[in-house]
Amino acid sequence: MSNHTPDQQGTLYIVATPIGNLADITQRAVETLSFVDRICAEDTRNTRKLLNHLGIKKTLVALHDHNETQKIDSVAYWLREGENIALVSDAGTPLISDPGYHLVKALREMDFQIVPIPGASAIITALSAAGLATNKFSFEGFLPAKEAGRKQALLANIDSQYTQIYYESSHRVVHSVATMLDVFGADKKVVLARELTKLYEQFFHGTLGDLHPWLIDDKMHQKGEFVIMLAAAEIKKNESDVMNSTVEQVLAALIDELPLKQAAKIAGKLTGISKNALYKQGLKLQKSQ
Ligand code: SAM
């Protein structure tokens, strides 16, 4: 049965698939995969297994990192012919550390209709159960494979006020955590999510100093797929930050009655802030009066 009329352009559906547990497929995803004329898939063998599980028979087209740009013209042609097309990756949401960006960008620029069918993604799944701040987070994807590049990438985030989220695979997880330990230090808070939605799903939460031996001491802990989340940097309070309005009020009241040097000394005893910092602040207050 054809799903289109020849004079009407088709739609590209970006369909999220499960990241492990097949029961996480959404009803809309199943309906869309059943309805479309063909499916572009990162690895057609993997998608065929999913479709067999769902009882869906469909034409599959390979669309992966190495042929994505060459496939843009074909997909645009099929859409113009009125076909509806789905894009899926091996797991989770396409384009998120997966192929599809070049295709979607190009087709968006050509004004084709592109409809997302939302579902699982390892980032949000991991973050939702990590217990780290969720108001500001940055998705960093995979770290570079080589130590120098990895270190450089991590150093750029040393003072990040965001929860940082990294993807990692079994053969690199130990190296990446070792570099994180080197860059951020043993006390940095971390949550590692392993094998999300699968039988051996596991969360480690603690510090980088504890995570490294946890990975090394048990080879099982290195198996599977990982999301590593680093807590935002703690804001270091220096004396000027602490110099809040209450301190200023105390200082100003003392300056009214005493010479500045003495006022700074007493304010220092009352607040625990150094008398030198208070003396400088006192000078500023005197100038502004
Ligand atoms: N598109 C996917 C998504 O939406 O999350 C990500 C694909 S990326 C090629 C694969 C990486 O995602 C893995 O190496 C791992 O870091 C993360 N990942 C995917 N599934 C996972 C799972 N079940 N548990 C933990 N991490 C997972």
Side-chain angles (χ1 to χ4, degrees), residues 127-146:
L127 185 63
S128 69
L132 293 173
T134 54
N135 55 335
K136 289 204 292 184
F137 61 89
S138 64
F139 175 53
E140 306 289 335
F142 287 96
L143 281 165
K146 293 201 177 123

Side-chain angles (χ1 to χ4, degrees), residues 19 89 91-94 96-98 120-123 142 167-169 193-198 225-227:
I19 55 169
S89 62
T93 302
I96 306 302
S97 292
D98 267 341
S121 188
I123 329 164
F142 287 96
Y167 276 176
E168 204 41 272
S169 64
R194 180 178 159 254
E195 294 290 81
L196 287 160
T197 77
K198 301 183 199 174
E225 299 187 282
F226 301 85
V227 181

Side-chain angles (χ1 to χ4, degrees), residues 45-287:
R45 285 162 306 174
N46 284 342
T47 300
R48 183 73 65 203
K49 280 186 210 149
L50 176 69
L51 294 181
N52 286 344
H53 168 80
L54 298 171
I56 298 171
K57 272 198 156 155
K58 206 57 67 171
T59 306
L60 290 178
V61 178
L63 190 141
H64 41 70
D65 283 336
H66 305 293
N67 74 350
E68 184 178 338
T69 42
Q70 290 102 284
K71 283 281 172 218
I72 293 170
D73 286 347
S74 306
V75 177
Y77 173 80
W78 293 323
L79 290 170
R80 264 188 218 104
E81 287 292 294
E83 284 193 20
N84 291 303
I85 299 175
L87 172 71
V88 298
S89 62
D90 281 350
T93 302
L95 280 79
I96 306 302
S97 292
D98 267 341
Y101 163 69
H102 300 288
L103 177 75
V104 171
K105 180 173 182 282
L107 295 181
R108 177 69 65 204
E109 281 164 5
M110 291 180 222
D111 275 339
F112 281 107
Q113 197 177 6
I114 304 171
V115 172
I117 306 294
S121 188
I123 329 164
I124 302 298
T125 308
L127 185 63
S128 69
L132 293 173
T134 54
N135 55 335
K136 289 204 292 184
F137 61 89
S138 64
F139 175 53
E140 306 289 335
F142 287 96
L143 281 165
K146 293 201 177 123
E147 163 74 12
R150 221 163 36 226
K151 197 162 179 175
Q152 203 182 356
L154 290 171
L155 278 170
N157 290 338
I158 189 105
D159 291 323
S160 171
Q161 300 293 306
Y162 292 66
T163 297
Q164 298 161 51
I165 306 177
Y166 297 88
Y167 276 176
E168 204 41 272
S169 64
S170 58
H171 56 285
R172 292 225 197 106
V173 67
V174 173
H175 302 296
S176 285
V177 169
T179 316
M180 286 175 177
L181 182 59
D182 182 24
V183 170
F184 292 96
D187 293 336
K188 183 75 165 174
K189 285 203 183 84
V190 61
V191 178
L192 173 142
R194 180 178 159 254
E195 294 290 81
L196 287 160
T197 77
K198 301 183 199 174
L199 187 60
Y200 296 108
E201 177 180 281
Q202 194 172 26
F203 277 81
F204 170 96
H205 69 104
T207 62
L208 281 173
D210 295 331
L211 175 59
H212 193 249
W214 183 84
L215 282 170
I216 303 276
D217 293 348
D218 187 341
K219 286 264 183 287
M220 278 308 291
H221 292 163
Q222 300 170 25
K223 290 204 186 326
E225 299 187 282
F226 301 85
V227 181
I228 306 172
M229 293 160 283
L230 296 177
E234 279 166 29
I235 300 164
K236 289 193 194 84
K237 285 209 155 97
N238 59 31
E239 282 173 337
S240 62
D241 290 329
V242 178
M243 192 73 72
N244 58 29
S245 60
T246 316
V247 174
E248 277 194 4
Q249 277 170 13
V250 170
L251 190 60
L254 287 168
I255 288 169
D256 281 345
E257 305 296 329
L258 299 165
L260 175 57
K261 204 172 162 191
Q262 214 181 338
K265 195 173 166 191
I266 295 171
K269 281 187 183 158
L270 288 171
T271 62
I273 294 173
S274 86
K275 61 179 192 262
N276 287 343
L278 288 160
Y279 185 84
K280 279 186 206 156
Q281 188 65 17
L283 282 175
K284 276 191 209 160
L285 281 174
Q286 281 178 334
K287 273 188 198 151

